[in-house]
Structures are given as structure tokens and as C-alpha cells.
Amino acid sequence: MLEKIKSEASAAIEVAADLKALDDIRVKYLGKKGEITAVLRGMGALSAEERPIVGALANTVREEIEALITGKNEALAAKAMEEKMASEKIDVTISSKRAVQGKLHPLSQVLSEIKDIFIGMGFSIADGPDVELDYYNFEALNIPKNHPARDTQDTFYINDNVVLRTQTSPVQVRVMEKQKPPIRVIAPGRVYRSDAVDATHSPLFHQIEGLVVDKGITMGDLKGTLETFVKALYGEDAKVRFRPHHFPFTEPSAEVDVSCFVCGGEGCRVCKGEGWIEILGAGMVHPKVLSGCGIDPEEYSGFAFGLGLERVAMRRYDIDDLRLFFENDLKFLKQF
Ligand code: PHE
């Protein structure tokens, strides 16, 4: 009887597939209602001679079964651990998905280069709002209501007194109202005009304003500053040329050309045979603008200039369509 229990139990233990099955076997044979226990309980019916023999045998069988269960338990636990390790294995040598690294937009690249040049000359950076009072964008710059200069700078009106700024020049006024000379700032930013989109026009573009006010500032300082700037941007051979022009807030005013950096002035496709490329508007700050900001034009003078960022970038990278800057097509942007 006990021999039969032993061989059945060991066969069952042998094939037990998991810890749960093994525990069921333990209960079945060794538990309170198990088969070995039943044998021990039934010993009362045996003779005095048989009892110790059967008792000893039952204990031996129980110990043997216990040992088998313990052994199997360890084997199953080891197997479970092995399977867990295998399922959680990671290959540290596998190549990773590489994160795509972005970079600065070409306009930002050119802007930071320009900022660096002016900061190197002692300028600091000023700022003003895109949504601007008509007063700063026009009136304070000597462009009263109904002045014809407003036609060329039509913009988006929030109401009669608030516009999207058409130029960065209003920052000149904001700076001069707050800060007394010496003043030496550039003011980069977005500007807006109600122009239809084409290869050279956009209702939104960028300018970089420059303003210097101090005692004894002359047109020579303007020319020297712009020459230094242009050589830093386009190389030592670059020259500047001033052509007379009119801006209501500077007097005298000029449009400034740089010698073509592709052909060096001989005439080519980029400069359309001219040898020169227009890059900015400039002039001496109008006395009316100075006094409007509480700066005495008898004591102080200044110059200002306004540079178009897209133009500089288009020429720098030989880009013929302004729209490319704003479409954000990665095939285009990745080239810079
Ligand atoms: N704000 C002028 C424009 O947009 C450029 C300019 C700036 C001219 C400063 C003179 C001085 O055309």
C-alpha cells in the first residue's frame, strides 16, 4: 500500500509542470486529508507487532516524498527564472532609432550672425511690439495721417490707432523716449504690410533697425558703421554705395547698396547686371523725431538704418523665392 503510494507520488511529481501542480500533489499525499495521513490514522486497526513497522515505513515514505517535492520545487523555480530572463532579455548592441536633430531656420542663422557683428561694435538689442500704436509706427516718425508715405506702407489696422507695424523704426522712438543718449541699439523683428504673396513679397517679413544717437554723430559715422558691417558679413572686398533717397524720419536719407558679392561689381545674374545690390535704407535721424522724443537736436544727432533680413538671407544662400522661408518644407530647410 505504502509502496504504491510512493511510486504514484513520485511519478506525479516527475511530470508536475508547475508550482501549482506540485502543491496539489503535496496536499494530495502529505496533507491533513492526504493519503499518508490516512495510513497513519488507520494504524489503530493493526496488531502491536505491525504498528511500529508500518509507522516507520510510512514516515520513510513521507520523508522521501517530501524530498522529491523539495527537489522538484527547486527545479521548477529555476526553470521559471530562466524563462523570465529569456523573455526579458535586451540586446544592448542593437542600433537605436536615432533622434532627428533639428537646427536653426536659415533666417535665424543669418540674424544671429548680424546680431553678433553689431554686438561686436558695442550695440545692444532693443525690442518693440508687433501690434503697435499708429503714433509710434507713423506719427512720431514724421508721417502724419494722410501723408503719402502711408500708401507705400499700407498695413493691417486693428482700429484707427492700432496697427501691425510696417517697419521696425517705431522701436527707435520707443528707445529714445526711455533712454537718453548715448544710444547704440539694433532692433530686429517682424513687420507687416498688406502685400499679396509672391516670390519677392510677403505680408510678414523681418527687419533689423539700427539707431545711434550721441553728441557729434555724423553721416561719416553712419557710413563707417555700415562699411564695417558689410565687410564682416560679405568679406573685406565688399564696398558700400549711398544713393540719395527720401524717408520722412531721416534727413538726409539714403538707400545703401553693397557691391555684388557674386561678381564683385562687374555685373551678373544676381545683381541683374548692376554690380550693386540694394540692402538697406538709412539716414540721419530727423530733428523733429529727436525733439518729439525729448532729445534736443541742437545738442545731439544720430543715424538710423533699416535692413531687410529676408533679402540678406536670399542673397547669402542664392534663394530666389521668398515663400520658401515660410513654407517650412524640410527638404528646403535641411540645406542650411
Ligand atoms: N523703415 C524704413 C523702411 O522700412 C527703413 C529705414 C530705417 C530708413 C531707418 C531709414 C532709417 O523702408
Side-chain angles (χ1 to χ4, degrees):
M1 173 75 169
L2 281 163
E3 284 302 329
K4 188 167 166 258
I5 292 175
K6 185 184 153 189
S7 65
E8 269 180 21
S10 62
I13 290 165
E14 179 74 37
V15 299
D18 55 33
L19 294 171
K20 167 82 175 69
L22 194 61
D23 196 54
D24 289 346
I25 292 165
R26 186 185 60 75
V27 171
K28 180 166 184 238
Y29 293 97
L30 308 177
K32 270 193 196 136
K33 291 177 184 160
E35 295 187 16
I36 300 277
T37 319
V39 171
L40 292 171
R41 286 219 179 102
M43 286 208 310
L46 296 176
S47 66
E49 297 86 61
E50 283 174 318
R51 237 179 265 160
I53 301 167
V54 173
L57 186 59
N59 276 329
T60 313
V61 170
R62 192 183 66 204
E63 277 162 23
E64 279 170 2
I65 293 175
E66 270 172 3
L68 284 173
I69 288 177
T70 307
K72 184 72 179 182
N73 198 324
E74 277 164 17
L76 284 177
K79 191 168 155 245
M81 177 58 87
E82 228 168 72
E83 277 166 9
K84 187 163 186 265
M85 300 273 263
S87 76
E88 291 177 1
K89 190 160 85 180
I90 51 167
D91 181 353
V92 294
T93 67
I94 209 162
S95 61
S96 64
K97 277 194 192 144
R98 198 175 288 183
V100 182
Q101 181 166 20
K103 53 179 169 178
L104 289 177
H105 190 280
L107 289 179
S108 300
Q109 292 184 34
V110 174
L111 175 58
S112 66
E113 207 180 309
I114 292 171
K115 277 182 181 171
D116 281 352
I117 295 170
F118 281 105
I119 287 168
M121 288 195 268
F123 284 69
S124 49
I125 313 284
D127 203 5
D130 289 14
V131 182
E132 183 56 286
L133 290 172
D134 181 281
Y135 175 78
Y136 288 109
N137 196 79
F138 295 122
E139 298 270 336
L141 291 168
N142 203 23
I143 311 171
K145 300 231 193 270
N146 305 318
H147 190 286
R150 291 202 180 205
D151 289 348
T152 59
Q153 299 202 0
D154 194 17
T155 182
F156 305 89
Y157 282 78
I158 311 292
N159 59 41
D160 278 353
N161 297 316
V162 181
V163 302
L164 294 188
R165 67 179 180 186
T166 61
Q167 45 188 350
T168 43
S169 302
V171 186
Q172 288 185 36
V173 180
R174 288 182 173 273
V175 169
M176 286 190 283
E177 278 183 352
K178 274 211 220 89
Q179 189 188 330
K180 292 306 141 203
I183 292 168
R184 219 181 275 138
V185 294
I186 58 166
R190 294 192 189 95
V191 299
Y192 306 82
R193 295 191 192 176
S194 50
D195 287 334
V197 175
D198 65 21
T200 55
H201 292 85
S202 164
L204 179 159
F205 56 104
H206 299 79
Q207 290 186 335
I208 300 156
E209 196 78 9
L211 174 71
V212 170
V213 184
D214 203 350
K215 287 181 178 156
I217 297 292
T218 69
M219 198 95 178
D221 297 308
L222 171 60
K223 201 160 182 227
T225 302
L226 291 180
E227 246 164 32
T228 306
F229 165 64
V230 157
K231 284 183 196 298
L233 193 64
Y234 294 117
E236 277 304 310
D237 294 336
K239 294 185 204 53
V240 291
R241 175 175 84 170
F242 280 49
R243 278 179 292 107
H245 196 74
H246 172 261
F247 296 106
F249 42 93
T250 48
E251 179 59 33
S253 303
E255 272 189 332
V256 178
D257 303 334
V258 59
S259 55
C260 178
F261 48 84
V262 174
C263 65
E266 274 163 30
C268 69
R269 189 182 62 83
V270 173
C271 60
K272 302 200 175 75
E274 292 280 310
W276 297 92
I277 293 171
E278 186 205 320
I279 56 160
L280 53 82
M284 301 305 292
V285 181
H286 197 290
K288 266 198 185 170
V289 176
L290 287 174
S291 54
C293 299
I295 294 176
D296 182 0
E298 296 295 327
E299 194 180 353
Y300 293 103
S301 56
F303 67 75
F305 58 87
L307 176 73
L309 180 60
E310 280 78 1
R311 280 192 175 186
V312 175
M314 284 171 84
R315 273 135 199 189
R316 153 67 52 93
Y317 298 123
D318 200 10
I319 295 163
D320 57 9
D321 194 329
L322 180 67
R323 287 169 287 201
L324 291 165
F325 286 130
F326 304 114
E327 285 166 355
N328 283 337
D329 181 345
L330 286 178
K331 287 204 286 284
F332 169 75
L333 294 175
K334 276 182 178 163
Q335 297 174 52
F336 308 98

